[in-house]
Amino acid sequence: MKHVAVLGYGTVGSGVVEIIGRNKKELANNSGDEVSVKYILDLRDFPGDPYEDKVIHDFDIIVKDPEVSIVCETMGGTGAAYTFTKACLENGKSVCTSNKALVAAHGPELLKIAEQNNCSYMFEASVGGGIPIIRPLQTCLTAEHIECIIGILNGTTNFMLTKMDEEGCDYDEILKEAQRLGYAEQNPEADVCGYDTCRKIAILTSLYMGKTVNYEDIKTEGITKITTKEFKYAAELGRSIKLLGISKDLDGKCLALVAPFMVSAKSPLYGVRDVFNGIMVTGNMVEDVMFYGRGAGKLATASAVVADIVECAKNVGKNVPCIWKDEAIEMATDADKKFAYFVRVNNAAKDKFAASFEIENTVNIDEASDETGFVTKEMTEDKFIEVVETFGEDVINYVRMF
């Protein structure tokens, strides 16, 4: 029997325990042995819970128990979660996690510790929730030179943007609904400012390029400036607006960006709606491969954690390798990034604006409006920012095109 300890009995942690309990037969068949939860570490007690007898409050019990070979870290954050994860790995216990913040901040270090102690550090659930993406990158796509990864990686913002698009809701209104439904935290900054997506694209980039991308080096813009006006213009252009994480390999240099984009109806990402996520991987041989599904949620995320448990159970006493060197990747600058841009401009400056840029298209959504929408031709980001800043408040907003 493979004994598992779960750190944190919140949404994902309780989902892990539930799946192990409900799918005992499947886990035994797939891992070759019975898998059982021995401990649940949490600060709280859970009177009346079916697993209350497994709840403990002392982490040392887990570290010192030789029967525990696999630990699930579902605490979140980079404080105690880092300390506990490191201690488990140093004691030869494999760790499976959904904690993207910890993986983004300490992934290479923890992978190295796991290798040194003949155990594994696995984090399938940290990027796509229930969508398998990390293991496919590490196994199914290893014959490929990955050229780029582009994805909708945050279900909360995709839910909000879908509602703004389909129902004409304004930002503040739909944020409150997302909070009421439990999709957004009371402090929604990590989602709406793009930080969650940033960490996820940093992890994916580090994996396919084999070196470390510091998420703090990725230019990140959220959805807080997107209004119903942008969606009206997007509709006129046959597009919708999505928060995308983009990563491209430019001859060994990494172009990474998180921002809202006007996505063409011809793109597979256009149809990714509501809380669903979509990740498009482009290889030099297979070309485009699409991964789609629920990027969050209790059982969807827990399912990915339990899949890692199965992999660890099949490899107790061994290290399942992951190529991620603690060596920085050279990051592309704005001079390396090329996009077309949609720009809303006050009519007082529209002629001057049109003269300053090569314009691909002009869009009006209301003849009586005091603004005009322009789509520029493709240009480097540094040049676009340099010129657009000279217009000050006459540029109301802009969105990149995809």
Side-chain angles (χ1 to χ4, degrees):
M1 179 181 289
K2 300 299 188 298
H3 292 281
V4 176
V6 177
L7 310 183
Y9 200 46
T11 300
V12 178
S14 62
V16 167
V17 174
E18 180 179 342
I19 291 173
I20 291 174
R22 287 172 57 181
N23 288 0
K24 278 184 176 294
K25 181 179 177 181
E26 290 80 2
L27 298 185
N29 287 341
N30 291 325
S31 68
D33 199 354
E34 186 178 346
V35 176
S36 177
V37 175
K38 187 170 185 179
Y39 302 114
I40 299 169
L41 181 75
D42 205 284
L43 294 172
R44 302 162 292 173
D45 291 307
F46 297 87
D49 187 274
Y51 299 95
E52 66 175 314
D53 61 316
K54 299 182 184 296
V55 175
I56 62 171
H57 308 300
D58 184 359
F59 171 70
D60 285 344
I61 293 172
I62 294 170
V63 169
K64 293 175 180 177
D65 189 337
E67 287 192 341
V68 175
S69 56
I70 304 166
V71 177
C72 293
E73 184 275 296
T74 57
M75 301 168 64
T78 56
Y82 169 70
T83 302
F84 292 170
T85 296
K86 188 174 178 181
C88 289
L89 295 172
E90 287 173 340
N91 282 273
K93 302 179 189 295
S94 292
V95 177
C96 308
T97 187
S98 58
N99 187 346
K100 58 190 162 286
L102 182 59
V103 176
H106 297 286
E109 176 193 358
L110 297 172
L111 286 166
K112 186 66 175 178
I113 294 171
E115 182 184 4
Q116 291 169 342
N117 291 278
N118 296 316
C119 55
S120 300
Y121 184 52
M122 294 194 153
F123 41 90
E124 180 64 67
S126 67
V127 172
I131 305 171
I133 179 63
I134 290 174
R135 196 166 289 114
L137 281 178
Q138 295 283 300
T139 56
C140 309
L141 295 172
T142 52
E144 294 292 317
H145 169 71
I146 303 298
E147 297 176 341
C148 72
I149 296 179
I150 301 173
I152 297 167
L153 298 167
N154 182 272
T156 299
T157 51
N158 204 47
F159 167 80
M160 292 174 63
L161 293 172
T162 299
K163 287 286 188 179
M164 292 175 75
D165 187 8
E166 295 179 351
E167 300 179 16
C169 304
D170 65 29
Y171 174 86
D172 291 332
E173 175 188 0
I174 200 57
L175 174 57
K176 289 177 182 176
E177 183 177 348
Q179 289 170 324
R180 180 180 63 79
L181 293 171
Y183 296 147
E185 302 289 342
Q186 286 308 303
N187 178 0
E189 187 178 78
D191 294 322
V192 300
C193 293
Y195 306 147
D196 176 82
T197 297
C198 176
R199 285 178 170 85
K200 291 174 178 178
I201 201 67
I203 293 168
L204 290 177
T205 304
S206 297
L207 290 173
Y208 86 81
M209 296 193 76
K211 298 179 182 178
T212 299
V213 173
N214 185 338
Y215 66 90
E216 294 177 336
D217 293 335
I218 297 176
K219 186 174 186 177
T220 301
E221 299 172 10
I223 67 168
T224 56
K225 294 181 181 179
I226 300 298
T227 69
T228 53
K229 277 280 185 75
E230 277 77 32
F231 278 101
K232 290 178 181 178
Y233 283 111
E236 287 293 316
L237 293 164
R239 294 172 178 264
S240 187
I241 299 173
K242 307 289 185 183
L243 182 68
L244 299 183
I246 291 180
S247 171
K248 294 184 179 181
D249 181 356
L250 301 181
D251 296 324
K253 187 188 293 186
C254 173
L255 184 161
L257 174 69
V258 174
F261 280 78
M262 281 193 179
V263 176
S264 168
K266 296 178 181 179
S267 168
L269 295 172
Y270 176 88
V272 179
R273 321 294 282 180
D274 203 64
V275 295
F276 285 81
N277 286 188
I279 307 169
M280 191 163 61
V281 180
T282 303
N284 66 332
M285 297 296 157
V286 75
E287 298 184 350
D288 293 337
V289 179
M290 182 79 170
F291 298 85
Y292 171 83
R294 291 190 177 273
K298 175 179 176 177
L299 294 179
T301 303
S303 176
V305 177
V306 176
D308 281 347
I309 291 173
V310 170
E311 191 68 17
C312 290
K314 292 191 292 187
N315 292 278
V316 171
K318 302 176 185 176
N319 173 253
V320 178
C322 177
I323 301 170
W324 180 352
K325 297 179 183 176
D326 191 8
E327 178 183 337
I329 297 174
E330 182 182 357
M331 300 297 288
T333 67
D334 283 353
D336 299 305
K337 301 169 187 172
K338 281 190 173 183
F339 302 104
Y341 299 82
F342 166 78
V343 192
R344 291 171 56 197
V345 180
N346 286 324
N347 280 342
K350 69 176 184 179
D351 292 337
K352 182 182 176 184
F353 184 89
S356 299
F357 290 94
E358 290 187 72
I359 301 301
E360 183 76 26
N361 201 357
T362 302
V363 193
N364 288 302
I365 55 173
D366 181 356
E367 292 298 329
S369 175
D370 58 358
E371 65 177 67
T372 300
F374 292 100
V375 178
T376 72
K377 290 192 174 180
E378 190 176 85
M379 65 183 66
T380 60
E381 183 131 326
D382 62 335
K383 177 64 175 177
F384 173 78
I385 297 296
E386 178 187 349
V387 178
V388 85
E389 285 181 347
T390 66
F391 286 86
E393 294 183 357
D394 281 324
V395 169
I396 303 166
N397 201 6
Y398 65 84
V399 183
R400 296 167 186 84
M401 307 290 282
F402 174 75

